[in-house]
């Protein structure tokens, strides 16, 4: 009877994946700013995770990367001439700008949008609001193409409703699903939507971090909840602890993750933990399953351990039974405190009964773990069937996409390479082919010229 599942849509890493230190407040991004990257390995690490989840029986989709370097943005900023001339000018006049418009940051699809499943919305459709990502210039240019990709992937308006990004201004800073969790008993039933914000934009007296930016505002989350037609009794807001943002927890999904009836989070994640628990329990009401709070104490795993290992940037997935599996990056195994904690967790009677480790080093070095790389969309069977069938991961698509990566991707990229006109040609050739593999139509600006 209950055929709804949670599908994961991972961002395929684009051909210009590189480390440029673009994300102030994101420790890994700043630390690795001068490292060379390996786009080919990055894309393959992502594909391996997608395929492993598909093989485990989870519905796994693929979201295409964006056109980078993004020439339309450079032209909008006054650079002119042929594509090659634009690249020559920008690398001389503003090399950091070139790095920003070349980032493959759209791979982190947890920041693509906020998604409300049909069980939660007034009109019974799945609602998407693309995130404006206004806090970082290199990410603020993502939402137009993201919206085009989401509309091409979830096209049927009988089932899917798409909202434009919120106004692109700090007051409505929105980072999408990285600050949003949904709790429910079964995926097709009405759930609780839990929004975590960094500060209140219109209240100067509200607590806020002092060193690093709060990327998500309460006002942005409230606007999304309104647009999606959520029932106010089933929405819970909580403020992130400003001190952990200042320590480098730039999104809540670096310090908490939830699924169905389990909330797994760090003791210091929230400004008021007791209130968060009370509000979630009130919203949970008299549902029959127990609600599990799995709070990780600071004396077992410090905030620094969380940032270094990305323990909470894991995927918490329901297996066929009521137990859950946690998908973690290799850095968790390498951190003794975190690994010790995880061993004790699976031996306890908490619902997390299994841990699976993936090598995602290329993405991790820019501050993106397993959870950053995926957008969760709970779908009923009919909705699943309405998704563009070409974007589902399966044996055939895995082979096709690996061969596509082998044909087009470089295995080393440093910042100086971004001005190479050949890289632009390679990227466009690759993306043009990809729109056919994923049956997306012409979604990129270069395809419309
Ligand atoms: N959810 C994970 C997002 C990581 C992303 N990193 C970056 O954009 C780093 C890019 C660079 O520094 O080259 C960010 O901070 O938004």
């Amino acid at each position: 009877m209950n055929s709804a599942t949670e599908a994961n849509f991972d961002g395929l890493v684009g051909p210009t994946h590189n480390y440029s230190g673009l994300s102030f407040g994101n420790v890994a991004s700043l630390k690795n700013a001068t490292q060379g990257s390996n786009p080919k390995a990055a894309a393959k690490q992502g594909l391996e995770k997608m395929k492993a989840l598909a093989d485990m029986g989870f519905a796994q989709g693929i979201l295409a990367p964006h056109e980078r370097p993004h020439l339309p943005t450079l032209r909008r900023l006054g650079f002119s001439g042929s594509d090659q001339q634009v690249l020559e000018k920008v690398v001389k006049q503003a090399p950091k700008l070139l790095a920003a418009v070349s980032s493959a940051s759209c791979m982190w699809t947890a920041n693509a949008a906020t998604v409300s499943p049909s069980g939660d919305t007034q009109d019974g459709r799945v609602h998407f609001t693309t995130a404006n990502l206004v806090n970082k210039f290199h990410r603020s240019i993502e939402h137009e193409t993201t919206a085009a990709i989401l509309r091409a992937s979830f096209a049927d308006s009988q089932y899917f409703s798409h909202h434009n990004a919120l106004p692109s201004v700090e007051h409505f800073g929105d980072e999408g699903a990285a600050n949003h969790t949904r709790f429910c008993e079964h995926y097709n039933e009405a759930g609780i939507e839990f929004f975590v914000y960094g500060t209140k934009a219109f209240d100067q007296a509200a607590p806020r971090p002092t060193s690093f930016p709060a990327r998500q505002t309460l006002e942005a989350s409230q606007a999304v909840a309104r647009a999606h037609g959520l029932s106010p009794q089933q929405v819970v807001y909580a403020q992130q602890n400003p001190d952990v943002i200042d320590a480098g927890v730039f999104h809540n999904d670096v310090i908490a993750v939830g699924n169905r009836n389990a909330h797994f989070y760090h003791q210091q994640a929230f400004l008021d933990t007791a209130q968060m628990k009370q509000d979630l329990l009130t919203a949970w009401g008299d549902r029959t399953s127990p609600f599990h709070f799995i709070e990780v104490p600071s004396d077992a795993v410090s905030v620094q351990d969380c940032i270094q290992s990305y323990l909470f940037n894991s995927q918490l997935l329901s297996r066929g039974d009521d137990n859950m599996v946690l998908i973690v990056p290799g850095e968790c195994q390498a951190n003794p405190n975190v690994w010790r904690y995880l061993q004790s967790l699976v031996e306890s009677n908490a619902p997390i009964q299994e841990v699976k480790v993936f090598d995602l080093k290329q993405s991790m070095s820019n501050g993106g773990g397993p959870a950053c790389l995926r957008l969760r969309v709970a779908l009923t069977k009919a909705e699943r069937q309405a998704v563009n069938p070409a974007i589902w991961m399966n044996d055939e698509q895995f082979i096709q996409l690996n061969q596509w990566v082998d044909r087009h991707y470089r295995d080393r990229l440093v910042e100086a390479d971004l001005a190479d006109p050949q890289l632009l040609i390679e990227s466009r050739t690759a993306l043009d082919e990809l729109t056919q593999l994923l049956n997306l139509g012409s979604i990129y600006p270069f395809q419309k010229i």
Side-chain angles (χ1 to χ4, degrees), residues 18 20-23 26 29 108 111 138-139 215 251 366-367 372:
N18 75 97
S20 290
L22 300 172
S23 279
N26 168 343
S29 154
W108 299 297
N111 309 118
H138 70 290
R139 305 217 61 187
R215 296 201 202 181
H251 289 142
N366 249 339
C372 290

Side-chain angles (χ1 to χ4, degrees), residues 16-33 96 99-100 102-111 133 136 138-139 142 175 178 215 250-251 253-254 310 313 363-369 371-373 415:
T16 59
H17 161 63
N18 75 97
Y19 303 119
S20 290
L22 300 172
S23 279
F24 178 63
N26 168 343
V27 177
S29 154
L30 294 193
K31 193 174 115 200
N32 295 304
K96 269 297 166 199
S102 302
S103 178
S105 52
C106 67
M107 72 172 84
W108 299 297
T109 53
N111 309 118
L133 298 173
K136 298 283 176 270
H138 70 290
R139 305 217 61 187
E142 288 175 29
E175 302 274 321
R215 296 201 202 181
F250 56 96
H251 289 142
D253 71 358
V254 176
Y310 265 41
N313 199 260
S363 169
M364 283 288 288
S365 301
N366 249 339
C372 290
L373 286 161
E415 226 183 291

